[in-house]
């Protein structure tokens, strides 16, 4: 009976250390100031509720993270989900309305070519099931999450803080 006790103690300590380390490394809960994001290009703002942020996190992990893990862009690392890159897109995507529009009707970075056939969107939900059935409220939560993450993780989201000013990849 006592032979198993050291193993049980080590296992309990190991589990406790993993849980404590996970809690210390987990994403911080964004406060109201962090959750105040631009609503539209006119400069109006909105505070994303905490439940919307959490919903956006789940939706991002389900529908977007396979190509945009950590705010990067798989296949085109020059254009990320960083605040600066979203602001540099045409039309600007650094606001709720801009991102929701993109998720409904995606275009390339300079806005000249529709890319619904190669990028998941509501428009192409028949070929990209991860977008199927998302409501406007869910798209707003997802957009809010994307806009808040640079404030929560800093340069870890998108991998850089400087805007992309190079050539547009079509």
């Amino acid at each position: 009976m006592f032979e198993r006790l050291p193993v049980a103690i080590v296992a309990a300590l190991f589990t406790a250390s993993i849980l404590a380390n996970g809690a210390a490394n987990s994403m911080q809960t964004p406060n109201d100031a962090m959750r105040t994001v631009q609503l539209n290009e006119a400069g109006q703002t909105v505070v994303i509720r905490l439940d919307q942020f959490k919903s956006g996190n789940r939706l991002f992990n389900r529908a977007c993270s396979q190509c945009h893990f950590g705010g990067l862009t798989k296949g085109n690392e020059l254009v990320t989900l960083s605040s600066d890159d979203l602001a540099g897109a045409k039309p600007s995507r650094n606001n709720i309305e801009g991102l929701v529009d993109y998720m409904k009707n995606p275009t390339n970075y300079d806005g000249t070519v529709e890319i619904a056939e190669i990028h998941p969107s509501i428009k192409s939900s028949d070929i990209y099931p991860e977008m199927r059935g998302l409501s406007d409220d869910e798209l707003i939560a997802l957009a809010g999450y994307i806009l808040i993450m640079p404030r929560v993780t800093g340069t870890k989201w998108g991998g850089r803080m400087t805007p992309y000013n190079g050539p547009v990849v079509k």
Side-chain angles (χ1 to χ4, degrees), residues 2-169:
F2 288 113
E3 296 106 22
R4 293 186 184 171
L5 187 58
V7 173
I9 291 172
V10 169
L13 290 173
F14 180 73
T15 302
S17 70
I18 288 175
L19 292 174
N21 190 30
N25 291 329
S26 66
M27 180 174 49
Q28 73 179 42
T29 302
N31 59 33
D32 286 356
M34 294 171 90
R35 289 185 283 112
T36 301
V37 297
Q38 193 171 331
L39 175 63
N40 52 35
E41 288 195 61
Q44 294 175 305
T45 60
V46 63
V47 177
I48 300 297
R49 297 185 323 268
L50 195 52
D51 65 301
Q52 286 176 301
F53 175 76
K54 290 177 180 178
S55 174
N57 181 13
R58 284 189 300 275
L59 292 166
F60 185 86
N61 288 334
R62 184 188 90 201
C64 309
S65 66
Q66 58 269 36
C67 293
H68 293 289
F69 184 78
L72 298 171
T73 301
K74 183 179 178 182
N76 188 357
E77 63 281 349
L78 298 176
V79 179
T80 71
L81 298 180
S82 70
S83 300
D84 289 335
D85 284 354
L86 292 174
K90 302 293 182 239
S92 178
R93 304 299 186 184
N94 68 336
N95 60 77
I96 297 290
E97 290 178 3
L99 278 172
V100 169
D101 175 64
Y102 183 84
M103 289 183 269
K104 289 181 176 183
N105 302 294
T107 59
N108 63 343
Y109 194 69
D110 64 6
T112 59
V113 178
E114 182 181 286
I115 60 170
E117 291 185 12
I118 60 170
H119 191 280
S121 68
I122 297 299
K123 185 178 232 176
S124 60
S125 64
D126 55 332
I127 54 177
Y128 294 105
E130 53 271 341
M131 298 300 286
R132 194 171 295 146
L134 292 182
S135 68
D136 282 347
D137 288 341
E138 290 172 316
L139 294 176
I140 290 167
L142 184 52
Y145 174 80
I146 292 168
L147 294 172
I148 292 167
M149 283 309 293
R151 299 171 186 180
V152 173
T153 63
T155 57
K156 290 180 184 177
W157 184 258
R160 59 187 154 80
M161 296 296 278
T162 57
Y164 172 63
N165 293 317
V168 175
V169 179

